[in-house]
Amino acid sequence: MDNEGPFGPIVNGTQIVFYEYRPNKAAGYAFVALFALATLGHLVYLFSLRAWSFIPFILGGIAEVFGYYGRVLSSDRPNVAGPWIQQNLLILASPPFLAATVYMSLGRIATAIGARDNLLISPRFLAPIYVLIDIGCLASQLIGSVLPASGDANAIELSKNIILGGLIAQVVALAVFLLITWHAQSRTARDVPHVLLRNPSLNWKNHFRVIYVIVVLIVVRSVVRTIEYVQGDGGFIISHEVFIYALDAAPMWLVMVIYLVLHPGRLIRDGRRLGDKEGEVMLRDYS
Protein backbone atom coordinates (compact mmCIF):
# COMPACT_ATOMS: atom_id res chain seq x y z
CA MET A 1 0.00 0.00 0.00
CA ASP A 2 1.48 3.31 -1.12
CA ASN A 3 1.56 5.83 1.74
CA GLU A 4 3.13 8.64 -0.26
CA GLY A 5 0.74 11.38 -1.43
CA PRO A 6 -0.72 13.29 -2.97
CA PHE A 7 -3.90 11.26 -3.44
CA GLY A 8 -6.85 12.04 -5.65
CA PRO A 9 -8.37 11.25 -9.05
CA ILE A 10 -6.91 12.39 -12.34
CA VAL A 11 -9.43 14.36 -14.40
CA ASN A 12 -8.58 15.40 -17.97
CA GLY A 13 -4.92 14.77 -17.28
CA THR A 14 -4.88 16.87 -14.08
CA GLN A 15 -4.79 15.38 -10.61
CA ILE A 16 -7.43 16.64 -8.18
CA VAL A 17 -5.73 16.45 -4.78
CA PHE A 18 -7.89 15.10 -1.95
CA TYR A 19 -5.09 14.34 0.52
CA GLU A 20 -1.39 15.10 0.72
CA TYR A 21 -1.06 11.93 2.82
CA ARG A 22 -2.88 8.65 3.42
CA PRO A 23 -5.37 9.26 6.28
CA ASN A 24 -4.53 7.41 9.47
CA LYS A 25 -7.13 4.69 10.04
CA ALA A 26 -6.42 4.21 13.76
CA ALA A 27 -6.83 7.92 14.49
CA GLY A 28 -10.07 7.94 12.52
CA TYR A 29 -11.48 5.00 14.46
CA ALA A 30 -10.37 6.56 17.76
CA PHE A 31 -12.39 9.72 17.17
CA VAL A 32 -15.35 7.78 15.80
CA ALA A 33 -15.47 6.04 19.19
CA LEU A 34 -14.85 9.22 21.23
CA PHE A 35 -17.55 11.23 19.46
CA ALA A 36 -19.97 8.29 19.58
CA LEU A 37 -19.60 7.99 23.37
CA ALA A 38 -19.96 11.75 23.91
CA THR A 39 -23.03 11.86 21.65
CA LEU A 40 -24.59 8.95 23.51
CA GLY A 41 -24.05 10.78 26.81
CA HIS A 42 -25.82 13.87 25.47
CA LEU A 43 -28.64 11.70 24.16
CA VAL A 44 -29.22 10.47 27.72
CA TYR A 45 -29.22 14.05 29.06
CA LEU A 46 -31.58 15.12 26.29
CA PHE A 47 -34.38 13.11 27.91
CA SER A 48 -33.36 13.15 31.59
CA LEU A 49 -32.98 16.96 31.65
CA ARG A 50 -35.52 17.66 28.88
CA ALA A 51 -32.73 19.61 27.17
CA TRP A 52 -34.42 19.94 23.79
CA SER A 53 -32.11 22.79 22.79
CA PHE A 54 -29.36 20.14 22.62
CA ILE A 55 -30.91 18.44 19.58
CA PRO A 56 -28.60 20.42 17.21
CA PHE A 57 -25.68 19.56 19.50
CA ILE A 58 -26.44 15.84 19.18
CA LEU A 59 -26.79 16.18 15.41
CA GLY A 60 -23.35 17.82 15.42
CA GLY A 61 -21.96 14.88 17.36
CA ILE A 62 -23.48 12.42 14.88
CA ALA A 63 -21.94 14.41 12.02
CA GLU A 64 -18.53 14.16 13.69
CA VAL A 65 -18.91 10.38 14.09
CA PHE A 66 -19.68 9.80 10.43
CA GLY A 67 -17.20 12.46 9.34
CA TYR A 68 -14.29 10.67 10.95
CA TYR A 69 -15.63 7.36 9.69
CA GLY A 70 -15.26 8.91 6.24
CA ARG A 71 -11.57 9.37 7.01
CA VAL A 72 -11.38 5.69 8.00
CA LEU A 73 -12.82 4.78 4.60
CA SER A 74 -10.44 7.19 2.89
CA SER A 75 -7.48 5.39 4.44
CA ASP A 76 -8.16 2.44 2.14
CA ARG A 77 -9.46 4.49 -0.80
CA PRO A 78 -7.78 7.91 -0.72
CA ASN A 79 -8.38 8.46 -4.44
CA VAL A 80 -12.17 7.93 -4.25
CA ALA A 81 -14.41 11.02 -4.05
CA GLY A 82 -17.23 9.57 -1.89
CA PRO A 83 -15.38 9.10 1.44
CA TRP A 84 -13.46 12.35 0.91
CA ILE A 85 -16.69 14.32 0.40
CA GLN A 86 -18.26 12.55 3.40
CA GLN A 87 -15.47 13.50 5.81
CA ASN A 88 -15.02 17.00 4.39
CA LEU A 89 -18.73 17.77 4.43
CA LEU A 90 -19.58 16.39 7.87
CA ILE A 91 -16.49 17.56 9.76
CA LEU A 92 -16.95 21.09 8.39
CA ALA A 93 -20.71 21.07 9.04
CA SER A 94 -20.59 19.84 12.65
CA PRO A 95 -19.34 22.95 14.56
CA PRO A 96 -22.25 25.19 13.45
CA PHE A 97 -24.64 22.61 14.97
CA LEU A 98 -22.64 22.60 18.21
CA ALA A 99 -22.53 26.41 18.26
CA ALA A 100 -26.31 26.67 17.72
CA THR A 101 -26.93 24.98 21.07
CA VAL A 102 -24.42 27.27 22.80
CA TYR A 103 -26.32 30.29 21.44
CA MET A 104 -29.63 28.94 22.71
CA SER A 105 -28.15 27.99 26.09
CA LEU A 106 -27.07 31.55 26.93
CA GLY A 107 -30.62 32.90 26.68
CA ARG A 108 -32.04 29.99 28.66
CA ILE A 109 -29.43 30.34 31.41
CA ALA A 110 -30.03 34.10 31.69
CA THR A 111 -33.79 33.55 31.87
CA ALA A 112 -33.50 30.77 34.47
CA ILE A 113 -31.43 32.91 36.87
CA GLY A 114 -33.57 36.01 36.36
CA ALA A 115 -30.95 37.88 34.32
CA ARG A 116 -32.87 38.04 31.06
CA ASP A 117 -32.68 41.86 30.96
CA ASN A 118 -28.88 41.76 31.23
CA LEU A 119 -28.47 40.48 27.67
CA LEU A 120 -27.63 43.06 25.00
CA ILE A 121 -30.10 41.26 22.73
CA SER A 122 -33.37 39.79 24.02
CA PRO A 123 -33.31 35.97 24.22
CA ARG A 124 -36.35 36.04 21.94
CA PHE A 125 -34.12 37.40 19.17
CA LEU A 126 -30.63 36.28 20.23
CA ALA A 127 -30.99 32.58 19.41
CA PRO A 128 -32.91 33.09 16.11
CA ILE A 129 -30.37 35.67 14.88
CA TYR A 130 -27.42 33.43 15.64
CA VAL A 131 -29.13 30.31 14.34
CA LEU A 132 -29.73 32.15 11.05
CA ILE A 133 -26.04 33.12 10.96
CA ASP A 134 -25.20 29.49 11.67
CA ILE A 135 -27.45 28.31 8.84
CA GLY A 136 -25.65 30.70 6.49
CA CYS A 137 -22.25 29.42 7.61
CA LEU A 138 -23.46 25.84 7.36
CA ALA A 139 -24.87 26.38 3.87
CA SER A 140 -21.60 27.91 2.68
CA GLN A 141 -19.64 24.94 4.01
CA LEU A 142 -22.07 22.40 2.56
CA ILE A 143 -21.97 24.05 -0.88
CA GLY A 144 -18.21 24.46 -0.70
CA SER A 145 -17.77 20.80 0.24
CA VAL A 146 -19.94 19.43 -2.57
CA LEU A 147 -18.71 21.60 -5.46
CA PRO A 148 -15.36 19.80 -5.89
CA ALA A 149 -17.23 16.60 -6.83
CA SER A 150 -17.59 17.98 -10.37
CA GLY A 151 -13.83 17.78 -10.86
CA ASP A 152 -13.84 21.20 -12.50
CA ALA A 153 -10.84 23.32 -11.46
CA ASN A 154 -12.88 26.54 -11.37
CA ALA A 155 -15.54 24.89 -9.19
CA ILE A 156 -12.86 23.66 -6.80
CA GLU A 157 -11.39 27.14 -6.48
CA LEU A 158 -14.86 28.64 -5.98
CA SER A 159 -15.62 26.06 -3.28
CA LYS A 160 -12.54 27.10 -1.31
CA ASN A 161 -13.59 30.77 -1.41
CA ILE A 162 -17.14 29.90 -0.30
CA ILE A 163 -15.89 27.80 2.62
CA LEU A 164 -13.39 30.52 3.58
CA GLY A 165 -16.17 33.13 3.63
CA GLY A 166 -18.31 30.92 5.86
CA LEU A 167 -15.45 30.31 8.28
CA ILE A 168 -14.62 34.02 8.58
CA ALA A 169 -18.31 34.86 9.18
CA GLN A 170 -18.44 32.22 11.91
CA VAL A 171 -15.36 33.63 13.68
CA VAL A 172 -16.81 37.17 13.64
CA ALA A 173 -20.20 35.95 14.92
CA LEU A 174 -18.54 34.02 17.75
CA ALA A 175 -16.43 37.02 18.75
CA VAL A 176 -19.57 39.18 19.04
CA PHE A 177 -21.29 36.40 21.00
CA LEU A 178 -18.39 36.39 23.49
CA LEU A 179 -18.95 40.12 24.01
CA ILE A 180 -22.67 39.56 24.62
CA THR A 181 -21.90 36.80 27.13
CA TRP A 182 -19.31 38.90 28.99
CA HIS A 183 -21.72 41.85 29.20
CA ALA A 184 -24.49 39.63 30.61
CA GLN A 185 -22.19 38.09 33.22
CA SER A 186 -20.79 41.47 34.29
CA ARG A 187 -24.23 43.01 34.76
CA THR A 188 -25.51 39.94 36.61
CA ALA A 189 -22.56 40.02 39.01
CA ARG A 190 -23.07 43.75 39.60
CA ASP A 191 -26.87 43.70 39.91
CA VAL A 192 -27.64 40.27 41.35
CA PRO A 193 -31.14 38.96 40.48
CA HIS A 194 -33.56 37.93 43.26
CA VAL A 195 -33.23 34.24 42.37
CA LEU A 196 -29.49 34.37 43.05
CA LEU A 197 -29.84 36.53 46.18
CA ARG A 198 -32.18 33.98 47.72
CA ASN A 199 -29.99 31.08 46.57
CA PRO A 200 -26.30 32.16 46.56
CA SER A 201 -25.22 28.50 46.24
CA LEU A 202 -26.51 28.39 42.66
CA ASN A 203 -23.31 27.92 40.64
CA TRP A 204 -24.19 30.22 37.74
CA LYS A 205 -20.74 31.76 37.12
CA ASN A 206 -19.19 28.47 36.05
CA HIS A 207 -21.80 28.14 33.32
CA PHE A 208 -20.73 31.48 31.86
CA ARG A 209 -17.09 30.39 32.10
CA VAL A 210 -17.98 27.21 30.23
CA ILE A 211 -19.48 29.29 27.42
CA TYR A 212 -16.23 31.27 27.17
CA VAL A 213 -14.13 28.10 26.98
CA ILE A 214 -16.41 26.43 24.43
CA VAL A 215 -16.61 29.49 22.18
CA VAL A 216 -12.82 29.93 22.30
CA LEU A 217 -12.37 26.26 21.31
CA ILE A 218 -14.71 26.72 18.33
CA VAL A 219 -12.96 29.96 17.36
CA VAL A 220 -9.53 28.26 17.50
CA ARG A 221 -10.81 25.48 15.26
CA SER A 222 -12.37 27.97 12.81
CA VAL A 223 -9.24 30.15 12.70
CA VAL A 224 -7.06 27.12 11.93
CA ARG A 225 -9.47 26.02 9.21
CA THR A 226 -9.45 29.56 7.78
CA ILE A 227 -5.63 29.59 7.65
CA GLU A 228 -5.76 26.15 6.01
CA TYR A 229 -7.92 27.44 3.17
CA VAL A 230 -5.90 30.66 2.82
CA GLN A 231 -2.73 28.57 2.42
CA GLY A 232 -4.45 26.45 -0.25
CA ASP A 233 -3.27 23.16 -1.76
CA GLY A 234 0.18 22.16 -0.58
CA GLY A 235 -0.09 24.46 2.45
CA PHE A 236 1.55 23.44 5.71
CA ILE A 237 -1.69 22.76 7.61
CA ILE A 238 -3.49 20.78 4.92
CA SER A 239 -0.34 18.74 4.28
CA HIS A 240 -0.04 17.51 7.88
CA GLU A 241 -2.79 15.29 9.30
CA VAL A 242 -1.89 16.11 12.90
CA PHE A 243 -3.65 19.49 12.58
CA ILE A 244 -7.10 18.06 11.85
CA TYR A 245 -6.92 15.93 15.00
CA ALA A 246 -5.11 18.34 17.34
CA LEU A 247 -6.95 21.53 16.32
CA ASP A 248 -10.29 20.30 14.99
CA ALA A 249 -11.25 16.85 16.30
CA ALA A 250 -9.84 17.31 19.82
CA PRO A 251 -11.34 20.79 20.46
CA MET A 252 -14.78 19.72 19.19
CA TRP A 253 -14.67 16.59 21.33
CA LEU A 254 -13.70 18.71 24.35
CA VAL A 255 -16.71 20.95 23.64
CA MET A 256 -18.97 17.90 23.91
CA VAL A 257 -17.23 16.59 27.05
CA ILE A 258 -17.32 19.97 28.84
CA TYR A 259 -21.08 20.14 28.39
CA LEU A 260 -21.37 16.59 29.73
CA VAL A 261 -19.51 17.60 32.91
CA LEU A 262 -21.32 20.93 33.39
CA HIS A 263 -24.56 20.65 31.46
CA PRO A 264 -26.56 23.92 31.34
CA GLY A 265 -29.75 21.89 31.58
CA ARG A 266 -29.04 21.34 35.29
CA LEU A 267 -28.74 25.07 36.02
CA ILE A 268 -31.81 25.84 33.90
CA ARG A 269 -33.81 23.16 35.76
CA ASP A 270 -32.65 24.35 39.20
CA GLY A 271 -33.13 28.02 38.32
CA ARG A 272 -36.68 27.42 37.18
CA ARG A 273 -37.51 25.44 40.30
CA LEU A 274 -36.12 28.18 42.53
CA GLY A 275 -37.92 30.82 40.51
CA ASP A 276 -41.19 28.94 40.90
CA LYS A 277 -40.65 28.63 44.68
CA GLU A 278 -39.89 32.36 44.91
CA GLY A 279 -43.11 33.11 43.08
CA GLU A 280 -45.05 30.88 45.49
CA VAL A 281 -43.51 32.67 48.49
CA MET A 282 -44.39 36.09 47.06
CA LEU A 283 -47.99 35.01 46.45
CA ARG A 284 -48.26 33.58 49.99
CA ASP A 285 -46.85 36.80 51.50
CA TYR A 286 -49.18 38.90 49.41
CA SER A 287 -52.24 36.91 50.44
Side-chain angles (χ1 to χ4, degrees):
M1 184 182 292
D2 183 16
N3 290 319
E4 294 296 326
F7 295 101
I10 296 176
V11 179
N12 297 325
T14 302
Q15 184 177 27
I16 305 299
V17 178
F18 289 163
Y19 302 101
E20 297 286 348
Y21 49 81
R22 181 179 294 275
N24 187 295
K25 183 181 288 188
Y29 271 129
F31 275 94
V32 166
L34 289 171
F35 277 113
L37 289 171
T39 302
L40 182 61
H42 280 288
L43 194 58
V44 172
Y45 279 144
L46 177 71
F47 295 102
S48 64
L49 295 175
R50 297 181 180 272
W52 311 125
S53 62
F54 269 74
I55 290 175
F57 203 83
I58 291 169
L59 292 176
I62 293 171
E64 294 281 13
V65 171
F66 285 97
Y68 285 97
Y69 184 64
R71 292 187 69 84
V72 170
L73 297 177
S74 284
S75 180
D76 293 326
R77 298 179 291 165
N79 295 312
V80 177
W84 178 80
I85 292 175
Q86 176 181 331
Q87 63 88 32
N88 199 41
L89 175 66
L90 295 177
I91 293 173
L92 279 173
S94 173
F97 281 102
L98 302 179
T101 290
V102 180
Y103 302 146
M104 289 186 280
S105 294
L106 176 61
R108 283 168 168 76
I109 288 171
T111 301
I113 64 175
R116 182 187 181 95
D117 294 336
N118 292 340
L119 291 169
L120 287 171
I121 303 174
S122 167
R124 181 183 302 177
F125 301 110
L126 178 64
I129 288 172
Y130 268 89
V131 168
L132 284 175
I133 293 172
D134 245 11
I135 290 172
C137 294
L138 178 61
S140 71
Q141 291 172 27
L142 291 176
I143 294 169
S145 298
V146 171
L147 277 177
S150 65
D152 181 72
N154 292 328
I156 292 172
E157 189 61 31
L158 176 62
S159 73
K160 292 176 182 177
N161 292 331
I162 292 174
I163 291 173
L164 180 60
L167 289 169
I168 292 173
Q170 188 178 45
V171 170
V172 172
L174 287 167
V176 174
F177 184 74
L178 275 177
L179 175 63
I180 293 171
T181 304
W182 171 82
H183 180 268
Q185 182 189 10
S186 299
R187 286 197 58 184
T188 302
R190 187 171 61 249
D191 186 14
V192 182
H194 292 296
V195 172
L196 299 179
L197 285 173
R198 286 177 174 267
N199 303 276
S201 62
L202 204 61
N203 194 15
W204 65 276
K205 289 183 180 179
N206 279 348
H207 287 271
F208 277 89
R209 294 183 185 116
V210 160
I211 290 177
Y212 297 141
V213 172
I214 286 177
V215 171
V216 167
L217 285 171
I218 297 175
V219 167
V220 167
R221 173 261 174 198
S222 296
V223 168
V224 171
R225 282 291 196 167
T226 300
I227 295 171
E228 174 187 332
Y229 280 93
V230 168
Q231 289 179 343
D233 289 338
F236 187 76
I237 292 178
I238 203 170
S239 300
H240 295 80
E241 189 176 19
V242 65
F243 286 104
I244 194 169
Y245 288 108
L247 296 174
D248 193 324
M252 295 306 95
W253 181 71
L254 282 174
V255 166
M256 299 196 74
V257 170
I258 289 169
Y259 260 163
L260 280 175
V261 175
L262 198 64
H263 198 290
R266 296 194 193 97
L267 177 68
I268 293 167
R269 177 196 60 196
D270 295 343
R272 284 174 177 167
R273 286 176 180 173
L274 294 169
D276 291 341
K277 287 180 181 178
E278 182 179 330
E280 291 173 4
V281 170
M282 290 175 68
L283 285 171
R284 188 167 59 248
D285 292 343
Y286 179 77
S287 59

